[in-house]
Amino acid sequence: LELARGHLMRINHKREEWGLHDAPDIADLNVDVTAATEFLIAGLNAESPAEASELGDKALALAVRISEDLTRCHAAILLERRKETAGFSRRVFGCQIETSAPVDECGKLLSGTIDFASLPIHWKQIEPSERTYNWKPLDAWVEWFTKNRIPVKASDLVCFAEHAVPQWLYIWEHDFETIRDLVAEHIRRVVNRYGNYIQVWDVVTGLHAIERFSFNFEQIMELTRMAATITRQLAPRSTTIVDIVAPWGEYYARNQRTIPPMLYVDMAVQSGINFDAIGLQFIFGAAADGFYVRDMFQVSSLIDKFGNFGRPIHITAVQVPSDTAVRTPEGGEPVDIKGGGTWHRDWDESVQAQWLREFCETVLARPAVETVTWRTLTDSMPRSLLHGGLVNADLVPKKAFAELAALRKEIVPGADRQ
């Protein structure tokens, strides 16, 4: 009942905020709001907890459907308005590619389907041993994209996730000054090498949710400032992004040494850190904090909140699965992986494609949102959400791949002529 009450309150607030309270297009939704409210009132007056629970479930289920329909209606109005006013740039849709992927095969799939490619700059892969460097995988992809005139965006320039941090760095985990100096060297080394080829940099990714080093609030902000400043100095014409993971901040409930996402961005803005845009990641479908499925109403409301900071927003990673089962390593029976939640029904290729379209239309309806990047191209890529690629492990495109190409032709100026 309390969940239903809260959801209906947010619906009424958003109807006012979006100017849709008396709009003729949502007359049916207003009737449903009244019905959900009646379920809620009846539940509050119920004589037994069982009856109250049943009525609360009905009110909540109806409220969730109403909120998504309301979000879809509002997004359609704003998206059409943005199209009419030529509010989109020529670089809207991107896809992240792992450097371990086969260059020619994956590159050809991306060519003509995306506006830019996102390359993860993982310190662990570049410098697996201290002062020993491996640039070949990155060089091959940068060369291919440059040759084929596909703009490149760098992600995870400074990221302390397990997959990005070299093992030898943990020697200094209690020495912040040394780590800060090593991070600065890493940034200078990478930006000096690729600054002429990469136009956009995710200068920091997820520092606010860091768990592997015992940095305090001031140290996290200092690393953020340093990364943005050095990148700006070495690549003054590039766009710098402060990238937010788990934007609802569930991690903070378990680790008070982290920083809630809204507070982190607010401090970055208020303290004058020189960055151009905010990055947000929406990866749903895994049973872990930050990855449980949220509805489009929640996504839309969160975008509105981050839009209040007055900076452009880039969706730096978005992904949902195309299946709900996987075989065990021994090749046994499929294992159910629905723990992360579903959207309308169990995940399959059609649901993934439908979700991709609705998500993109919802976020791109906001003038502050400039780009959307799908997390990984193929299912076989490391760190990819299970079944989360746009193509299968054998490089056969899924329905979501075609949906992304269709969206690009509808939204990006001139894409239909390419």
Side-chain angles (χ1 to χ4, degrees), residues 233-268:
Q233 290 172 347
L234 298 178
R237 296 184 179 181
S238 65
T239 298
T240 53
I241 298 174
V242 170
D243 196 15
I244 304 298
V245 303
W248 278 278
E250 300 97 323
Y251 58 86
Y252 184 68
R254 291 175 172 79
N255 186 353
Q256 301 296 307
R257 296 184 64 86
T258 57
I259 308 175
M262 295 291 292
L263 175 61
Y264 176 65
V265 175
D266 186 47
M267 288 302 299

mmCIF file of all heavy atoms in Angstrom, residues 233-268:
data_model
loop_
_atom_site.group_PDB
_atom_site.id
_atom_site.type_symbol
_atom_site.label_atom_id
_atom_site.label_comp_id
_atom_site.label_asym_id
_atom_site.label_seq_id
_atom_site.Cartn_x
_atom_site.Cartn_y
_atom_site.Cartn_z
ATOM 1 N N GLN A 233 43.795 19.971 -20.547
ATOM 2 C CA GLN A 233 45.053 20.611 -20.939
ATOM 3 C C GLN A 233 45.665 19.958 -22.166
ATOM 4 O O GLN A 233 46.168 20.644 -23.068
ATOM 5 C CB GLN A 233 46.042 20.558 -19.770
ATOM 6 C CG GLN A 233 45.682 21.455 -18.594
ATOM 7 C CD GLN A 233 46.586 21.224 -17.399
ATOM 8 O OE1 GLN A 233 47.346 20.238 -17.340
ATOM 9 N NE2 GLN A 233 46.515 22.115 -16.411
ATOM 10 N N LEU A 234 45.630 18.629 -22.219
ATOM 11 C CA LEU A 234 46.280 17.902 -23.307
ATOM 12 C C LEU A 234 45.407 17.790 -24.551
ATOM 13 O O LEU A 234 45.922 17.637 -25.660
ATOM 14 C CB LEU A 234 46.677 16.502 -22.823
ATOM 15 C CG LEU A 234 47.680 16.447 -21.666
ATOM 16 C CD1 LEU A 234 47.938 15.015 -21.248
ATOM 17 C CD2 LEU A 234 48.992 17.126 -22.071
ATOM 18 N N ALA A 235 44.085 17.826 -24.385
ATOM 19 C CA ALA A 235 43.160 17.740 -25.524
ATOM 20 C C ALA A 235 42.100 18.823 -25.375
ATOM 21 O O ALA A 235 40.939 18.533 -25.059
ATOM 22 C CB ALA A 235 42.534 16.350 -25.592
ATOM 23 N N PRO A 236 42.466 20.085 -25.576
ATOM 24 C CA PRO A 236 41.557 21.205 -25.271
ATOM 25 C C PRO A 236 40.284 21.240 -26.099
ATOM 26 O O PRO A 236 39.297 21.843 -25.691
ATOM 27 C CB PRO A 236 42.423 22.442 -25.543
ATOM 28 C CG PRO A 236 43.525 21.965 -26.440
ATOM 29 C CD PRO A 236 43.767 20.544 -26.067
ATOM 30 N N ARG A 237 40.278 20.598 -27.252
ATOM 31 C CA ARG A 237 39.095 20.626 -28.112
ATOM 32 C C ARG A 237 38.159 19.440 -27.890
ATOM 33 O O ARG A 237 37.109 19.357 -28.511
ATOM 34 C CB ARG A 237 39.522 20.664 -29.585
ATOM 35 C CG ARG A 237 40.285 21.933 -29.964
ATOM 36 C CD ARG A 237 40.590 21.948 -31.449
ATOM 37 N NE ARG A 237 41.299 23.157 -31.837
ATOM 38 C CZ ARG A 237 41.678 23.441 -33.087
ATOM 39 N NH1 ARG A 237 41.428 22.551 -34.061
ATOM 40 N NH2 ARG A 237 42.315 24.559 -33.353
ATOM 41 N N SER A 238 38.542 18.544 -27.034
ATOM 42 C CA SER A 238 37.731 17.352 -26.808
ATOM 43 C C SER A 238 36.639 17.630 -25.780
ATOM 44 O O SER A 238 36.657 18.633 -25.072
ATOM 45 C CB SER A 238 38.606 16.196 -26.338
ATOM 46 O OG SER A 238 39.172 16.494 -25.081
ATOM 47 N N THR A 239 35.673 16.708 -25.714
ATOM 48 C CA THR A 239 34.588 16.775 -24.722
ATOM 49 C C THR A 239 34.941 15.863 -23.556
ATOM 50 O O THR A 239 35.300 14.702 -23.749
ATOM 51 C CB THR A 239 33.261 16.310 -25.356
ATOM 52 O OG1 THR A 239 32.919 17.186 -26.433
ATOM 53 C CG2 THR A 239 32.150 16.327 -24.331
ATOM 54 N N THR A 240 34.843 16.389 -22.351
ATOM 55 C CA THR A 240 35.161 15.607 -21.149
ATOM 56 C C THR A 240 33.877 15.285 -20.387
ATOM 57 O O THR A 240 33.048 16.162 -20.148
ATOM 58 C CB THR A 240 36.127 16.369 -20.233
ATOM 59 O OG1 THR A 240 35.605 17.672 -19.964
ATOM 60 C CG2 THR A 240 37.487 16.518 -20.894
ATOM 61 N N ILE A 241 33.743 14.021 -20.002
ATOM 62 C CA ILE A 241 32.525 13.533 -19.344
ATOM 63 C C ILE A 241 32.877 12.927 -17.993
ATOM 64 O O ILE A 241 33.831 12.151 -17.883
ATOM 65 C CB ILE A 241 31.825 12.475 -20.217
ATOM 66 C CG1 ILE A 241 31.382 13.083 -21.561
ATOM 67 C CG2 ILE A 241 30.629 11.864 -19.492
ATOM 68 C CD1 ILE A 241 30.827 12.074 -22.535
ATOM 69 N N VAL A 242 32.111 13.275 -16.970
ATOM 70 C CA VAL A 242 32.183 12.609 -15.669
ATOM 71 C C VAL A 242 31.078 11.553 -15.662
ATOM 72 O O VAL A 242 29.893 11.879 -15.708
ATOM 73 C CB VAL A 242 31.998 13.617 -14.511
ATOM 74 C CG1 VAL A 242 31.841 12.877 -13.191
ATOM 75 C CG2 VAL A 242 33.183 14.569 -14.456
ATOM 76 N N ASP A 243 31.475 10.297 -15.618
ATOM 77 C CA ASP A 243 30.567 9.179 -15.856
ATOM 78 C C ASP A 243 30.044 8.594 -14.548
ATOM 79 O O ASP A 243 30.820 8.238 -13.655
ATOM 80 C CB ASP A 243 31.301 8.103 -16.671
ATOM 81 C CG ASP A 243 30.360 7.101 -17.297
ATOM 82 O OD1 ASP A 243 29.143 7.380 -17.347
ATOM 83 O OD2 ASP A 243 30.837 6.045 -17.749
ATOM 84 N N ILE A 244 28.708 8.457 -14.453
ATOM 85 C CA ILE A 244 28.038 7.981 -13.246
ATOM 86 C C ILE A 244 27.542 6.557 -13.470
ATOM 87 O O ILE A 244 26.806 6.290 -14.425
ATOM 88 C CB ILE A 244 26.836 8.887 -12.879
ATOM 89 C CG1 ILE A 244 27.293 10.339 -12.734
ATOM 90 C CG2 ILE A 244 26.156 8.388 -11.618
ATOM 91 C CD1 ILE A 244 28.302 10.570 -11.655
ATOM 92 N N VAL A 245 27.934 5.637 -12.598
ATOM 93 C CA VAL A 245 27.396 4.271 -12.623
ATOM 94 C C VAL A 245 26.358 4.147 -11.506
ATOM 95 O O VAL A 245 26.343 4.934 -10.559
ATOM 96 C CB VAL A 245 28.514 3.223 -12.445
ATOM 97 C CG1 VAL A 245 29.578 3.380 -13.522
ATOM 98 C CG2 VAL A 245 29.159 3.337 -11.062
ATOM 99 N N ALA A 246 25.483 3.151 -11.620
ATOM 100 C CA ALA A 246 24.442 2.917 -10.603
ATOM 101 C C ALA A 246 23.802 4.229 -10.170
ATOM 102 O O ALA A 246 23.895 4.626 -9.009
ATOM 103 C CB ALA A 246 25.037 2.188 -9.399
ATOM 104 N N PRO A 247 23.150 4.952 -11.087
ATOM 105 C CA PRO A 247 22.711 6.327 -10.806
ATOM 106 C C PRO A 247 21.643 6.474 -9.740
ATOM 107 O O PRO A 247 21.369 7.591 -9.297
ATOM 108 C CB PRO A 247 22.186 6.802 -12.170
ATOM 109 C CG PRO A 247 21.826 5.560 -12.909
ATOM 110 C CD PRO A 247 22.813 4.529 -12.463
ATOM 111 N N TRP A 248 21.019 5.351 -9.291
ATOM 112 C CA TRP A 248 20.079 5.452 -8.173
ATOM 113 C C TRP A 248 20.773 5.336 -6.810
ATOM 114 O O TRP A 248 20.156 5.542 -5.776
ATOM 115 C CB TRP A 248 18.976 4.401 -8.306
ATOM 116 C CG TRP A 248 17.895 4.836 -9.246
ATOM 117 C CD1 TRP A 248 16.832 5.654 -8.970
ATOM 118 C CD2 TRP A 248 17.779 4.504 -10.628
ATOM 119 N NE1 TRP A 248 16.074 5.836 -10.100
ATOM 120 C CE2 TRP A 248 16.630 5.139 -11.136
ATOM 121 C CE3 TRP A 248 18.537 3.725 -11.497
ATOM 122 C CZ2 TRP A 248 16.210 5.024 -12.456
ATOM 123 C CZ3 TRP A 248 18.129 3.607 -12.823
ATOM 124 C CH2 TRP A 248 16.980 4.252 -13.288
ATOM 125 N N GLY A 249 22.054 4.963 -6.822
ATOM 126 C CA GLY A 249 22.853 5.016 -5.606
ATOM 127 C C GLY A 249 22.618 3.929 -4.586
ATOM 128 O O GLY A 249 22.871 4.128 -3.391
ATOM 129 N N GLU A 250 22.188 2.740 -5.004
ATOM 130 C CA GLU A 250 21.945 1.657 -4.043
ATOM 131 C C GLU A 250 23.201 1.298 -3.245
ATOM 132 O O GLU A 250 23.120 0.907 -2.080
ATOM 133 C CB GLU A 250 21.439 0.401 -4.751
ATOM 134 C CG GLU A 250 20.127 0.585 -5.515
ATOM 135 C CD GLU A 250 20.360 0.841 -6.984
ATOM 136 O OE1 GLU A 250 21.343 1.546 -7.312
ATOM 137 O OE2 GLU A 250 19.570 0.354 -7.810
ATOM 138 N N TYR A 251 24.360 1.409 -3.887
ATOM 139 C CA TYR A 251 25.620 1.029 -3.254
ATOM 140 C C TYR A 251 25.884 1.803 -1.958
ATOM 141 O O TYR A 251 26.554 1.314 -1.054
ATOM 142 C CB TYR A 251 26.780 1.274 -4.235
ATOM 143 C CG TYR A 251 26.862 2.711 -4.699
ATOM 144 C CD1 TYR A 251 27.546 3.673 -3.969
ATOM 145 C CD2 TYR A 251 26.223 3.113 -5.870
ATOM 146 C CE1 TYR A 251 27.589 4.990 -4.371
ATOM 147 C CE2 TYR A 251 26.260 4.419 -6.287
ATOM 148 C CZ TYR A 251 26.949 5.360 -5.527
ATOM 149 O OH TYR A 251 26.978 6.675 -5.931
ATOM 150 N N TYR A 252 25.370 3.023 -1.859
ATOM 151 C CA TYR A 252 25.662 3.872 -0.703
ATOM 152 C C TYR A 252 25.068 3.306 0.583
ATOM 153 O O TYR A 252 25.599 3.537 1.676
ATOM 154 C CB TYR A 252 25.131 5.284 -0.957
ATOM 155 C CG TYR A 252 25.469 6.273 0.141
ATOM 156 C CD1 TYR A 252 26.792 6.679 0.352
ATOM 157 C CD2 TYR A 252 24.480 6.782 0.971
ATOM 158 C CE1 TYR A 252 27.104 7.570 1.361
ATOM 159 C CE2 TYR A 252 24.789 7.674 1.988
ATOM 160 C CZ TYR A 252 26.098 8.073 2.174
ATOM 161 O OH TYR A 252 26.409 8.960 3.181
ATOM 162 N N ALA A 253 23.986 2.534 0.470
ATOM 163 C CA ALA A 253 23.370 1.946 1.661
ATOM 164 C C ALA A 253 24.297 0.939 2.325
ATOM 165 O O ALA A 253 24.201 0.701 3.534
ATOM 166 C CB ALA A 253 22.050 1.269 1.282
ATOM 167 N N ARG A 254 25.227 0.358 1.563
ATOM 168 C CA ARG A 254 26.123 -0.664 2.096
ATOM 169 C C ARG A 254 27.534 -0.152 2.347
ATOM 170 O O ARG A 254 28.324 -0.812 3.015
ATOM 171 C CB ARG A 254 26.166 -1.867 1.148
ATOM 172 C CG ARG A 254 24.859 -2.635 1.119
ATOM 173 C CD ARG A 254 24.917 -3.750 0.067
ATOM 174 N NE ARG A 254 23.733 -4.605 0.158
ATOM 175 C CZ ARG A 254 22.545 -4.281 -0.344
ATOM 176 N NH1 ARG A 254 22.395 -3.123 -0.964
ATOM 177 N NH2 ARG A 254 21.516 -5.098 -0.230
ATOM 178 N N ASN A 255 27.874 0.984 1.765
ATOM 179 C CA ASN A 255 29.231 1.517 1.928
ATOM 180 C C ASN A 255 29.159 3.028 2.086
ATOM 181 O O ASN A 255 29.042 3.760 1.106
ATOM 182 C CB ASN A 255 30.099 1.140 0.723
ATOM 183 C CG ASN A 255 31.554 1.538 0.909
ATOM 184 O OD1 ASN A 255 31.912 2.206 1.879
ATOM 185 N ND2 ASN A 255 32.398 1.126 -0.024
ATOM 186 N N GLN A 256 29.243 3.485 3.320
ATOM 187 C CA GLN A 256 29.108 4.910 3.597
ATOM 188 C C GLN A 256 30.323 5.721 3.167
ATOM 189 O O GLN A 256 30.296 6.948 3.232
ATOM 190 C CB GLN A 256 28.860 5.110 5.098
ATOM 191 C CG GLN A 256 27.621 4.409 5.622
ATOM 192 C CD GLN A 256 26.331 4.937 5.017
ATOM 193 O OE1 GLN A 256 26.083 6.117 5.051
ATOM 194 N NE2 GLN A 256 25.522 4.050 4.446
ATOM 195 N N ARG A 257 31.388 5.054 2.752
ATOM 196 C CA ARG A 257 32.567 5.789 2.267
ATOM 197 C C ARG A 257 32.413 6.211 0.810
ATOM 198 O O ARG A 257 33.235 6.962 0.292
ATOM 199 C CB ARG A 257 33.833 4.943 2.437
ATOM 200 C CG ARG A 257 34.194 4.630 3.880
ATOM 201 C CD ARG A 257 35.508 3.871 3.952
ATOM 202 N NE ARG A 257 36.624 4.675 3.464
ATOM 203 C CZ ARG A 257 37.317 5.531 4.212
ATOM 204 N NH1 ARG A 257 37.003 5.697 5.491
ATOM 205 N NH2 ARG A 257 38.322 6.209 3.705
ATOM 206 N N THR A 258 31.402 5.704 0.154
ATOM 207 C CA THR A 258 31.124 6.126 -1.214
ATOM 208 C C THR A 258 30.336 7.434 -1.180
ATOM 209 O O THR A 258 30.031 7.967 -0.118
ATOM 210 C CB THR A 258 30.335 5.045 -1.965
ATOM 211 O OG1 THR A 258 29.117 4.775 -1.237
ATOM 212 C CG2 THR A 258 31.136 3.753 -2.065
ATOM 213 N N ILE A 259 30.002 7.939 -2.374
ATOM 214 C CA ILE A 259 29.284 9.209 -2.475
ATOM 215 C C ILE A 259 28.013 8.982 -3.280
ATOM 216 O O ILE A 259 28.072 8.418 -4.375
ATOM 217 C CB ILE A 259 30.145 10.282 -3.181
ATOM 218 C CG1 ILE A 259 31.525 10.394 -2.523
ATOM 219 C CG2 ILE A 259 29.444 11.628 -3.160
ATOM 220 C CD1 ILE A 259 32.469 11.340 -3.249
ATOM 221 N N PRO A 260 26.851 9.410 -2.785
ATOM 222 C CA PRO A 260 25.626 9.299 -3.587
ATOM 223 C C PRO A 260 25.796 10.034 -4.912
ATOM 224 O O PRO A 260 26.442 11.090 -4.976
ATOM 225 C CB PRO A 260 24.566 9.980 -2.702
ATOM 226 C CG PRO A 260 25.111 9.885 -1.326
ATOM 227 C CD PRO A 260 26.598 9.987 -1.449
ATOM 228 N N PRO A 261 25.252 9.493 -5.998
ATOM 229 C CA PRO A 261 25.508 10.064 -7.329
ATOM 230 C C PRO A 261 25.110 11.527 -7.483
ATOM 231 O O PRO A 261 25.858 12.320 -8.062
ATOM 232 C CB PRO A 261 24.713 9.156 -8.276
ATOM 233 C CG PRO A 261 23.860 8.309 -7.418
ATOM 234 C CD PRO A 261 24.450 8.279 -6.062
ATOM 235 N N MET A 262 23.941 11.914 -6.966
ATOM 236 C CA MET A 262 23.510 13.294 -7.103
ATOM 237 C C MET A 262 24.435 14.240 -6.344
ATOM 238 O O MET A 262 24.778 15.329 -6.827
ATOM 239 C CB MET A 262 22.074 13.449 -6.601
ATOM 240 C CG MET A 262 21.029 12.705 -7.403
ATOM 241 S SD MET A 262 20.768 13.378 -9.056
ATOM 242 C CE MET A 262 20.019 14.946 -8.665
ATOM 243 N N LEU A 263 24.869 13.830 -5.156
ATOM 244 C CA LEU A 263 25.792 14.653 -4.376
ATOM 245 C C LEU A 263 27.134 14.787 -5.091
ATOM 246 O O LEU A 263 27.741 15.867 -5.106
ATOM 247 C CB LEU A 263 25.983 14.041 -2.986
ATOM 248 C CG LEU A 263 27.014 14.724 -2.080
ATOM 249 C CD1 LEU A 263 26.629 16.177 -1.813
ATOM 250 C CD2 LEU A 263 27.163 13.953 -0.763
ATOM 251 N N TYR A 264 27.613 13.699 -5.677
ATOM 252 C CA TYR A 264 28.897 13.706 -6.394
ATOM 253 C C TYR A 264 28.865 14.710 -7.550
ATOM 254 O O TYR A 264 29.779 15.537 -7.694
ATOM 255 C CB TYR A 264 29.190 12.299 -6.902
ATOM 256 C CG TYR A 264 30.430 12.168 -7.746
ATOM 257 C CD1 TYR A 264 31.688 12.389 -7.222
ATOM 258 C CD2 TYR A 264 30.329 11.790 -9.087
ATOM 259 C CE1 TYR A 264 32.832 12.245 -7.994
ATOM 260 C CE2 TYR A 264 31.459 11.638 -9.872
ATOM 261 C CZ TYR A 264 32.710 11.872 -9.322
ATOM 262 O OH TYR A 264 33.828 11.730 -10.103
ATOM 263 N N VAL A 265 27.813 14.651 -8.360
ATOM 264 C CA VAL A 265 27.716 15.579 -9.488
ATOM 265 C C VAL A 265 27.554 17.015 -8.990
ATOM 266 O O VAL A 265 28.174 17.950 -9.520
ATOM 267 C CB VAL A 265 26.549 15.193 -10.418
ATOM 268 C CG1 VAL A 265 26.378 16.220 -11.526
ATOM 269 C CG2 VAL A 265 26.778 13.815 -11.025
ATOM 270 N N ASP A 266 26.750 17.192 -7.963
ATOM 271 C CA ASP A 266 26.546 18.530 -7.410
ATOM 272 C C ASP A 266 27.863 19.122 -6.915
ATOM 273 O O ASP A 266 28.170 20.295 -7.175
ATOM 274 C CB ASP A 266 25.530 18.468 -6.267
ATOM 275 C CG ASP A 266 25.164 19.851 -5.740
ATOM 276 O OD1 ASP A 266 24.888 20.746 -6.564
ATOM 277 O OD2 ASP A 266 25.141 20.041 -4.516
ATOM 278 N N MET A 267 28.663 18.325 -6.225
ATOM 279 C CA MET A 267 29.953 18.809 -5.737
ATOM 280 C C MET A 267 30.910 19.104 -6.890
ATOM 281 O O MET A 267 31.675 20.066 -6.836
ATOM 282 C CB MET A 267 30.570 17.780 -4.791
ATOM 283 C CG MET A 267 29.878 17.692 -3.439
ATOM 284 S SD MET A 267 29.873 19.273 -2.559
ATOM 285 C CE MET A 267 31.630 19.569 -2.394
ATOM 286 N N ALA A 268 30.874 18.265 -7.933
ATOM 287 C CA ALA A 268 31.734 18.515 -9.098
ATOM 288 C C ALA A 268 31.374 19.830 -9.771
ATOM 289 O O ALA A 268 32.256 20.591 -10.205
ATOM 290 C CB ALA A 268 31.613 17.357 -10.085
#
